[in-house]
């Protein structure tokens, strides 16, 4: 039976809409009109916190697994997935509601877009249910939270203010271990490489490696012998989808059984065309800052006018709700002296972020709402078509009449059910022929 504290049902739309998936509007306004989510014993997405703020996340010294400085491991520090530090943390899916879990804030070695070693932070969470034998591990990629360090998932988990914590909790109540990356530069020095495909995919895969090397988590069944699932929505959909494409070559030792990716911005050019000048135009500047962080030669600063420089300061330090409010209605010409997207160097970099050019090595569950106002439905359909054409077993699920946020909520349970069947060893043929 599921503990009563985990069956608590609250509307998830408010938190997801404002802080994860980036729809503008105040918490109060969203909360007044948010519909009640459907109750389900198979999903904890309904239990979202009322508070939208994330705790401040500093950049101080990292500590070992018991709060001490970590042991040195000569020769292993540059190995992708190497555990660099760990300290005890905690996980709440809504403020003031403790969960029967164990959690650790970690830093681990990963790889930047240019192939250089970097350090990424994240959180390992395991059910404290008495199980010590190997259990499935989900490496979970969150949707857009912003570029400020205070927005990192790990900063909000202890207080229950990380917006996608209810979605993560839905995996935990099923008995799965979960590791959640903060991505490169989100909670660690430097700008977050937002929407940089390789950096995000590497961070997702290396988070799984780090979790499997964590001695504390090992006592609760996190084991390299156990199956691994990859999961994410929106920005996390892109990160998880890219991880699916990279897994066989970048992390072949991981026993990846499947990837569930929703609302995937697989083609940034088409997403940009859809968002420019609209309510969610702030995403474009976030992405520009992210690409520039990974590729400094793009020299974003030389294209910005005074308004653009002002907005970039907001983008680099604040969370997504604030950024979208500041950038609402802005066209590229409003913030630049000339359009960088018309430059060949920018076009080449953006083209590298395309997802769908490589076949994932394991089956995939791809889902999208046909009324998605943030990521065009056609972009999701194209990802499905591209992977199907390459012979991947794609299970495509379309949510009729659902918005970007609505699909995140409605799709979480089916995605986890699909992953559960993969963990159980059931074959997946997909529905490419329909």
């Amino acid at each position: 039976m599921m503990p009563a504290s985990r069956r608590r049902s609250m509307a998830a739309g408010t938190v997801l809409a404002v802080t994860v998936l980036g729809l503008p509007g105040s918490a109060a306004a969203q909360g007044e009109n948010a519909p009640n989510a459907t109750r389900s014993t198979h999903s904890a997405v309904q239990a979202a916190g009322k508070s939208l703020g994330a705790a401040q996340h500093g950049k101080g010294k990292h500590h070992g697994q018991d709060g001490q400085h970590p042991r040195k491991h000569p020769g292993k520090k540059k190995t992708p997935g190497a555990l660099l530090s760990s300290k005890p943390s905690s996980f709440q899916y809504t403020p003031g509601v403790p969960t029967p879990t164990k959690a650790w804030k970690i830093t681990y070695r990963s790889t930047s877009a240019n192939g250089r070693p970097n350090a990424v932070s994240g959180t390992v969470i395991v059910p404290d249910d008495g199980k010590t034998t190997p259990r499935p591990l989900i490496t979970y990629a969150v949707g857009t939270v912003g570029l400020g360090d205070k927005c990192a998932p790990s900063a909000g988990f202890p207080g229950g203010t990380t917006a996608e914590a209810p979605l993560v909790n839905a995996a935990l109540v099923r008995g799965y271990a979960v590791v959640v990356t903060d991505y490169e530069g989100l909670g660690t020095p430097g700008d977050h490489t937002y929407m940089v495909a390789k950096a995000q995919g590497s961070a997702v895969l290396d988070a799984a490696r780090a979790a499997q090397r964590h001695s504390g988590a090992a006592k609760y069944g996190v084991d390299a012998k156990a199956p691994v699932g990859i999961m994410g929505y929106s920005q996390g959909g892109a990160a998880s989808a890219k991880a699916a494409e990279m897994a066989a070559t970048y992390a072949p030792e991981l026993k990846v059984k499947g990837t569930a990716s929703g609302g995937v911005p697989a083609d940034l050019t088409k997403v940009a065309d859809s968002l420019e000048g609209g309510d969610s135009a702030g995403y474009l500047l976030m992405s520009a800052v992210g690409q520039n962080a990974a590729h400094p030669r793009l020299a974003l600063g030389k294209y910005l006018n005074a308004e653009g420089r002002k907005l970039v300061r907001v983008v680099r330090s604040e969370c997504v709700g604030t950024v979208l409010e500041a950038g609402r209605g802005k066209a590229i010409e409003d913030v630049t002296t000339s359009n960088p997207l018309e430059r060949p160097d920018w076009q080449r970099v953006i083209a590298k972020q395309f997802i769908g050019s490589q076949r994932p090595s394991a089956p995939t569950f791809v889902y999208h709402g046909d009324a998605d106002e943030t990521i065009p439905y056609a972009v999701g359909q194209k990802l499905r078509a591209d992977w199907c054409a390459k012979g991947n077993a794609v299970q495509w699920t379309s949510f009729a009449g659902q918005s970007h946020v609505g699909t995140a909520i409605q799709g979480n349970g089916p995605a986890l059910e699909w992953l559960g069947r993969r963990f159980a060893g059931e074959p997946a043929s997909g529905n490419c022929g329909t």
Side-chain angles (χ1 to χ4, degrees):
M1 292 291 291
M2 188 182 303
S5 63
R6 288 193 177 177
R7 296 198 300 267
R8 194 176 286 189
S9 179
M10 298 170 63
T14 300
V15 178
L16 288 169
V18 180
T19 61
V20 176
L21 309 171
L23 297 184
S26 68
Q30 293 286 348
E32 289 171 358
N33 299 310
N36 290 327
T38 302
R39 291 176 179 266
S40 171
T41 58
H42 298 295
S43 174
V45 295
Q46 295 88 350
K50 295 180 181 179
S51 171
L52 299 176
Q56 290 291 328
H57 180 58
K59 293 189 177 183
K61 295 181 179 179
H62 299 297
H63 299 286
Q65 291 181 15
D66 298 314
Q68 304 298 318
H69 292 289
R71 299 175 182 175
K72 294 184 180 297
H73 297 282
K76 296 183 179 180
K77 288 294 185 179
K78 292 186 178 181
T79 302
L83 190 63
L84 301 178
S85 70
S86 175
K87 62 180 180 180
S89 185
S90 60
F91 174 79
Q92 293 186 11
Y93 65 82
T94 189
V97 182
T99 60
T101 59
K102 295 289 185 181
W104 299 267
K105 166 71 181 295
I106 63 171
T107 57
Y108 60 93
R109 184 65 69 203
S110 192
T111 308
S112 67
N114 58 20
R116 295 175 182 170
N118 59 12
V120 177
S121 56
T123 307
V124 180
I125 315 162
V126 295
D128 189 4
D129 55 7
K131 182 179 174 65
T132 59
T133 53
R135 69 171 83 224
L137 170 69
I138 291 179
T139 179
Y140 188 96
V142 299
T144 303
V145 294
L147 275 64
D149 285 352
K150 63 186 178 182
C151 318
S154 62
F157 281 145
T161 56
T162 295
E164 279 184 76
L167 306 185
V168 172
N169 193 57
L172 293 167
V173 299
R174 292 170 179 263
Y176 306 147
V178 181
V179 60
V180 183
T181 183
D182 287 336
Y183 301 122
E184 180 182 28
L186 186 56
T188 50
D191 283 337
H192 171 31
T193 49
Y194 178 72
M195 294 311 303
V196 177
K198 283 188 176 181
Q200 293 183 165
S202 297
V204 169
L205 293 170
D206 288 327
R209 286 167 153 167
Q212 291 180 345
R213 294 169 181 172
H214 194 286
S215 61
K219 298 176 182 178
Y220 295 87
V222 179
D223 191 294
K225 299 176 184 178
V228 173
I230 306 171
M231 187 172 182
Y233 189 85
S234 197
Q235 179 192 2
S240 59
K242 186 61 179 179
E245 293 187 341
M246 295 172 60
T249 54
Y250 182 77
E253 79 282 7
L254 293 178
K255 300 183 184 304
V256 176
K257 300 302 182 181
T259 298
S261 301
V264 182
D267 186 332
L268 295 189
T269 299
K270 287 185 169 54
V271 173
D273 290 343
S274 174
L275 295 179
E276 186 185 4
D279 286 346
S280 299
Y283 283 129
L284 302 186
L285 198 52
M286 291 175 66
S287 184
V289 171
Q291 301 303 328
N292 190 73
H295 307 282
R297 291 184 180 180
L298 292 176
L300 174 63
K302 75 179 183 181
Y303 296 97
L304 299 174
N305 60 20
E307 179 66 13
R309 290 191 295 271
K310 177 182 176 181
L311 284 176
V312 162
R313 287 193 292 271
V314 175
V315 166
R316 295 182 70 227
S317 61
E318 295 298 334
C319 299
V320 62
T322 300
V323 172
L324 291 177
E325 289 291 349
R328 179 178 295 183
K330 299 290 186 184
I332 293 175
E333 64 184 13
D334 295 330
V335 297
T336 62
T337 55
S338 62
N339 188 349
L341 298 184
E342 296 176 353
R343 300 290 300 176
D345 55 346
W346 275 85
Q347 291 171 353
R348 285 192 294 270
V349 166
I350 296 300
K352 289 180 180 179
Q353 314 317 317
F354 181 82
I355 300 170
S357 60
Q358 301 174 60
R359 177 190 177 191
S361 55
T364 56
F365 179 87
V366 181
Y367 56 109
H368 213 111
D370 67 5
D372 193 322
E373 74 290 357
T374 304
I375 311 299
Y377 184 63
V379 172
Q381 291 178 306
K382 180 65 162 54
L383 174 63
R384 176 208 188 184
D386 287 342
W387 278 353
C388 283
K390 291 173 175 57
N392 181 242
V394 181
Q395 180 67 42
W396 165 259
T397 300
S398 174
F399 287 86
Q402 287 296 331
S403 65
H404 194 62
V405 172
T407 305
I409 297 170
Q410 296 296 321
N412 191 62
L416 284 170
E417 290 172 4
W418 182 88
L419 281 173
R421 291 193 290 272
R422 306 292 78 75
F423 293 152
E426 295 182 21
S429 58
N431 58 359
C432 286
T434 61

